[in-house]
Amino acid sequence: MSERLPVRKTYKLFIGGSFPRSESGRTYEAEGQNVARASRKDVRDAVRAARGAQPKWAGATAYNRGQVLYRIAEMIEARVAEFAELCSGRDEVERSIDRIVWYAGWADKLPQVLGGSNPVAGPYFNFTVPEPTGVVAVLAPHDPPLLGLVTRVLPPLVGGNAVVAVASEDRPLAAIELAEGLATSDVPGGVVNLLTGQHAELAPVLASHMDVNAIDIGGANGDASELERLAADNVKRVVHGRADVQSPWEIASFLELKTVWHPMGQ
Amino acid sequence: MAELDKTRTEVGVPDDWTYASAPESRDIVHLADRYGYYIGGEWLEPAETYETIAPRDEEPLAAVGQGTPDDVGRAVVAAREAFADGWSSLPGSERAKYLFRIARLLQERSREFAVLESLNGGKPIKESRDVDLPLAAAHFFYYAGWADKLEYAFPNRRPRPVGVAGQIIPWNFPLLMLAWKIAPALACGNTVVLKPAETTPLTALLFCDVLRQAELPPGVVNIVTGDGRTGAAIVEHEDVDKIAFTGSTEVGKAIQRHVAGTGKKLTLELGGKAANIVFDDAALDQAVEGIVNGIYFNQGHVCCAGSRLFVQESIYEPLVAKLERRLTTLRVGDPLDKNTDVGAINSAAQLEKIRELVASGVEEGAEIYQPPCVLPEKGYWFAPTVFTNVAQSYRIAQEEIFGPVLSVLTFRTPEEAVEKANNTPYGLSAGVWTEKGSRILWMAQRLRAGVVWANTFNRFDPGSPFGGYKESGFGREGGRHGLEPYLRFDE
């Protein structure tokens, strides 16, 4: 007779490793839930958190970054049933997990595939290494809600960037669930920041933000040309990411190449 | 002392060390009075022309075309036809041989090109002869070899040419920048519409004669001269598939905005404000040479110039003393004189910009040093300049001057050097001077710049990728990485 009343979840943002509500106090209804509707200021906070966390993430050993990313897969694997409820089902969750594992394995292989030593006509050891571009903004595809987000967030992440991602607008719950997975894995706070809200409102703020180095506008539902124009303010790298793709060149889109001339002599 | 001087005079030792003039003959260069556009392998008469001059004495050299959107349109049509009519489907091994031919022809005619480069651009013949020309030829030779090996450069990606590449190049290394643009584009099977800089079109126009000698199929390379309006016409043309631009960050941003939403591929190689960092254990005399090469090479008209010198505090005074003394031995003057170290400023507009920024440095409170040197009366000249007592907030420490002007700042620890060096929206290049190998690599890892030179500066090689971080642009030129901007992939 007295059936237990379940405790409901409050759906919040994920910024700097914490779960704040939107500073604006706004929510919007999606998938039958009230979800935080991030504001311009939330975007700025998320970018600040990302910038703060990025150097340490990039400075971790590649082996370590690979293990941390693999740990995300472990966390999701343990909650497959919950994630399956929030996307197209078990298959999407399993593909997302496998994609994370695939990218985790790239962390310590990128320099060998993307860089190398260069023969120059002089007494120098000349080599090129890939390095993260810095803070990357991602407009996640609207569908699939989990796999799309994983597909777009992992490539910049594995390369040592910090990410500010805006979740699928209509189906944001999988992203929030993923944030909880990230919080319980070993990804340092601020390395991945997930916002929920309206793409049309948040995308231009990210595209014109002077402390964002690259933006993936694959999931933009507004005017992509306008976002590209705004991105020119600080010569951002603009990526048109696809929702379901898996390739090291996806990682390369968010990397810079540094060439060093080291002297040789006795 | 007086007696010693007398002795010297008696044995005929000059009391000053003025060099006798050693002019390079310009007879080797035969200029036409007037140049048109090189489109589809033919010369097209321009409707409107302007005079291109020698910055050393403002001598008019030739009339060149001011390309209109229609002229650009004709060039794009020629490039599209050449692309479709065979160039893109030519076996890579055959494309390679054209590029090898071009490399050889540039080597054979290198002195002619070097003299013309110095005449039209103002750079010392020593540099155009020993740097620009050898590197331009080497660039073609390097990319020639890639033309039939692209599938090894990008395994499993099925590389294909992009189509018609629109290329806009600057006036600081006119022929070398042409080589950086055209060589990888052709190696990858693209055709080209290139606009040389407004003030330095002549070596690009002479290059058309090399193309004739190489028997490159008509339309594969088209050259349209003109000012920024001509460049804008290339950027805005609907049938151009890829834009490659080298120039200022301001124009680069404008191009990025124009290209937005068009799906055109884009690479930008933009401005810089490089840090050149000298630690107290560095070989000081060697470092002084590197500092001089870093900022006075090509009159400082170098996007990767080491324009911000960071000196570790403990060696600040001896280093600045050595540097200022070294400046007194720099020979400023006729670009065609083989002894000249610093030539003419490229244009009146650039000279004005340098003067304005230098005045701001004095105004803001920096201390200026210029060695005593007599500048020629005609032409555009600016003495090598060092600013000390510079705060990071001064315009001379923040803005790209693109002239022979160095700002000296100090640091105490490696961490501080990194923080100050990275405190700029630019990220093209950096230099580190230390005898400690581990510190070189530690610094190199932390400097946010596309190229880091250790115990050297301003070195270039066709095999070495070059390009910027942050607002210095994106994409790389040189090396295997320099192919990617000119390819699409069927993945």
Side-chain angles (χ1 to χ4, degrees), chain A residues 114 121 131 133 237 249 258-259, chain B residues 444 447 450 461 469 473 481 491:
Chain A
L114 302 177
E131 290 191 344
T133 190
R237 289 81 175 113
W249 319 119
K258 176 182 283 175
T259 298
Chain B
L447 291 166
D461 194 282
Y469 282 34
H481 301 94
E491 285 164 292

Side-chain angles (χ1 to χ4, degrees), chain B residues 268-290:
Chain B
L268 299 170
E269 203 271 84
L270 309 177
K273 193 73 190 174
N276 203 0
I277 303 163
V278 185
F279 284 94
D280 58 7
D281 69 331
L284 281 199
D285 292 315
Q286 193 193 341
V288 167
E289 289 310 305

Side-chain angles (χ1 to χ4, degrees), chain B residues 301-347:
Chain B
H301 300 330
V302 185
C303 46
C304 51
S307 53
R308 290 182 299 152
L309 175 65
F310 290 96
V311 185
Q312 199 156 23
E313 267 186 15
S314 53
I315 54 161
Y316 173 75
E317 280 164 18
L319 185 92
V320 169
K322 274 175 186 284
L323 179 63
E324 293 186 351
R325 211 186 90 210
R326 177 68 178 85
L327 253 58
T328 63
T329 66
L330 282 181
R331 304 180 50 75
V332 185
D334 184 4
L336 288 184
D337 191 304
K338 284 176 265 193
N339 290 320
T340 293
D341 297 308
V342 179
I345 299 302
N346 183 264
S347 67

Side-chain angles (χ1 to χ4, degrees), chain B residues 111 114 124-135:
Chain B
R111 191 57 57 91
I125 183 71
K126 194 165 72 175
E127 291 175 9
S128 49
R129 183 193 64 201
D130 297 346
V131 180
D132 295 63
L133 260 295
L135 281 175

Side-chain angles (χ1 to χ4, degrees), chain B residues 110-126:
Chain B
S110 68
R111 191 57 57 91
E112 179 187 1
F113 273 97
V115 171
L116 183 56
E117 198 76 298
S118 286
L119 196 58
N120 196 198
K123 65 171 61 197
I125 183 71
K126 194 165 72 175

Side-chain angles (χ1 to χ4, degrees), chain B residues 448-467:
Chain B
R448 300 286 292 158
V451 182
V452 178
W453 287 291
N455 293 1
T456 188
F457 211 93
N458 275 344
R459 296 266 166 199
F460 308 95
D461 194 282
S464 177
F466 183 90

